[in-house]
Amino acid sequence: MFEKIRNKYLYNKTQIVVLNKQGMVLKSDDLLFEIPKKTSITSFHPFFETIISLIDLEYSEFTFNCIHIDFNTVKKSIDVIFNSGSTTENPFLIFIDFTDHYNNFQSIAQEKNESVLSFHLSELKNQQLESEKNFKNKFLANVSHDLKTPIWGLKFFLNFLEKTELTEQQLDYVKTLKETNNHIHHLVEDLLDLSKIESGQMNIVNEPFSLKEGINNLLNIVKPKAEEKKLEFKTFIQDDIIDNLIGDKIRLNQILINLIDNSIKFTKKGFITFEINYKEANQDFIVLQFIVKDSGSGFSTSQKSDVFKSFKKLHTSKKIEGLGLGLSIVSNLVELMNGSIDYQSELGKGTTFEVNLPFEIAK
């Protein structure tokens, strides 16, 4: 019975090829392929170059899977078993026909391989991007630190020079140099902040602070800038807002200054409005809504995807200074403080930014 089953199911599925120690074909039952006798097995298919190199390894057996053979119009996908023989036995090959099996699973294997390849390509791309980001952040941090020393040195020298006897024209020159130096200083600080945020080194510090005191200090900084451009600066603060909060007052101040400075920069005439309202509140926490609105140049719908991107300037005018970092830093800081930011803008009619930030109420 076994022999009957074997002949029925395996007879036309296997082929035995006997070789000599030089790889010449001595015998073959040719059930799958008609292989010429007294020829090198390598002439049957280049794959068998591998077999020649293994013949000298006596008493060894190897299995090779899914070998595609196209010989004299016969195409099959086979597994190959090779036995190197011994000093008394010839090497031999067994071909096992798995054509149907491999064809059935070819599409599945191809999909799997493509999926694996896609995954590895994605991993490589992510690694490359991470490597580029780390290099950029390290470069920015090192360059920024190196720039701070001469900037502070120049600031000290200009302050000293300003107190000496100068003509009115010379004093104007010194003031211009101070403004330029301050601008460079802000750019360097922005670069440092960006590198800290992207490298995960920017820490949010939660400590008690006075909201009223912080806002007064903020207004003392930004109001003169608006007045210098002859812009109307309006402030609306909800009357019953709790003063004693717990949060990062420095980062809050940085967010609001960046937003207001941005509005002042892009507003030639008209107004800047700054509002603080309750968004949510309970016994332990409040969410404050900060709104900065201007009548400035605004930006188009097509630019909305670029608003919070680093080094992306929404205006190409050479008269508008900056690296395009302010709003990117604001967005990242808001996220670090578990808040949200949104905006509305219309080209030529102005922009409104809304920031919602949670704070713990100080007991």
Side-chain angles (χ1 to χ4, degrees), residues 176-215:
T176 301
L177 285 172
K178 287 183 69 176
E179 289 175 3
T180 302
N181 192 60
N182 286 335
H183 176 65
I184 295 173
H185 177 256
H186 287 308
L187 293 180
V188 170
E189 290 296 330
D190 282 348
L191 288 172
L192 276 173
D193 285 341
L194 179 66
S195 64
K196 286 179 182 178
I197 290 170
E198 293 194 352
S199 62
Q201 296 178 358
M202 177 71 77
N203 297 317
I204 299 300
V205 178
N206 291 315
E207 58 186 9
F209 73 97
S210 167
L211 178 64
K212 185 183 295 185
E213 181 182 340
I215 296 304

Side-chain angles (χ1 to χ4, degrees), residues 57-282:
L57 302 176
E58 294 187 354
Y59 306 104
S60 297
E61 190 167 286
F62 304 89
T63 299
F64 304 92
N65 301 109
C66 197
I67 309 301
H68 301 289
I69 305 292
D70 183 355
F71 184 76
N72 288 344
T73 71
V74 179
K75 297 179 181 180
K76 291 186 177 296
S77 297
I78 63 174
D79 283 2
V80 177
I81 298 174
F82 170 65
N83 189 296
S84 63
S86 64
T87 54
T88 58
E89 295 180 343
N90 288 98
F92 64 88
L93 296 161
I94 300 176
F95 300 161
I96 306 172
D97 185 5
F98 279 115
T99 303
D100 293 340
H101 169 79
Y102 285 125
N103 285 345
N104 289 337
F105 286 93
Q106 183 178 10
S107 60
I108 298 175
Q110 183 175 348
E111 289 178 8
K112 182 178 179 181
N113 290 337
E114 289 175 354
S115 176
V116 171
L117 180 61
S118 177
F119 172 78
H120 285 299
L121 287 174
S122 177
E123 284 289 297
L124 287 172
K125 185 177 180 180
N126 289 337
Q127 289 175 11
Q128 182 181 3
L129 290 174
E130 188 65 25
S131 177
E132 290 174 354
K133 186 174 78 171
N134 290 337
F135 173 81
K136 180 191 72 176
N137 289 335
K138 188 174 181 180
F139 173 79
L140 290 178
N142 289 339
V143 169
S144 300
H145 279 296
D146 289 341
L147 286 173
K148 289 183 78 172
T149 300
I151 288 171
W152 280 106
L154 182 58
K155 183 176 182 179
F156 174 81
F157 174 77
L158 290 173
N159 286 337
F160 175 78
L161 184 61
E162 193 175 26
K163 296 175 183 178
T164 62
E165 294 184 7
L166 300 172
T167 65
E168 186 175 342
Q169 187 180 37
Q170 289 171 332
L171 190 59
D172 287 339
Y173 291 158
V174 171
K175 287 181 179 179
T176 301
L177 285 172
K178 287 183 69 176
E179 289 175 3
T180 302
N181 192 60
N182 286 335
H183 176 65
I184 295 173
H185 177 256
H186 287 308
L187 293 180
V188 170
E189 290 296 330
D190 282 348
L191 288 172
L192 276 173
D193 285 341
L194 179 66
S195 64
K196 286 179 182 178
I197 290 170
E198 293 194 352
S199 62
Q201 296 178 358
M202 177 71 77
N203 297 317
I204 299 300
V205 178
N206 291 315
E207 58 186 9
F209 73 97
S210 167
L211 178 64
K212 185 183 295 185
E213 181 182 340
I215 296 304
N216 286 337
N217 292 336
L218 167 72
L219 295 176
N220 288 335
I221 294 172
V222 297
K223 264 191 172 182
K225 296 180 181 180
E227 291 169 356
E228 188 177 347
K229 291 187 70 173
K230 297 181 180 179
L231 300 173
E232 183 182 3
F233 193 96
K234 306 173 185 178
T235 305
F236 301 97
I237 301 176
Q238 194 166 325
D239 292 334
D240 56 346
I241 286 182
I242 297 172
D243 181 43
N244 297 316
L245 303 174
I246 295 176
D248 196 323
K249 64 178 181 180
I250 293 176
R251 299 308 168 197
L252 171 62
N253 190 61
Q254 189 174 3
I255 290 169
L256 297 178
I257 284 181
N258 266 299
L259 287 177
I260 297 173
D261 275 350
N262 190 74
S263 287
I264 294 172
K265 183 189 298 184
F266 296 118
T267 305
K268 292 182 178 180
K269 61 180 180 179
F271 65 88
I272 309 290
T273 300
F274 174 55
E275 296 182 36
I276 306 177
N277 304 296
Y278 276 125
K279 188 75 172 179
E280 299 176 26
N282 59 37

Side-chain angles (χ1 to χ4, degrees), residues 284-296:
D284 300 314
F285 290 90
I286 62 170
V287 176
L288 293 180
Q289 178 192 62
F290 301 91
I291 296 176
V292 177
K293 184 176 182 180
D294 64 62
S295 59

Side-chain angles (χ1 to χ4, degrees), residues 340-352:
S340 64
I341 183 169
D342 198 7
Y343 57 91
Q344 292 181 344
S345 187
E346 188 174 350
L347 191 62
K349 294 187 177 181
T351 304
T352 301

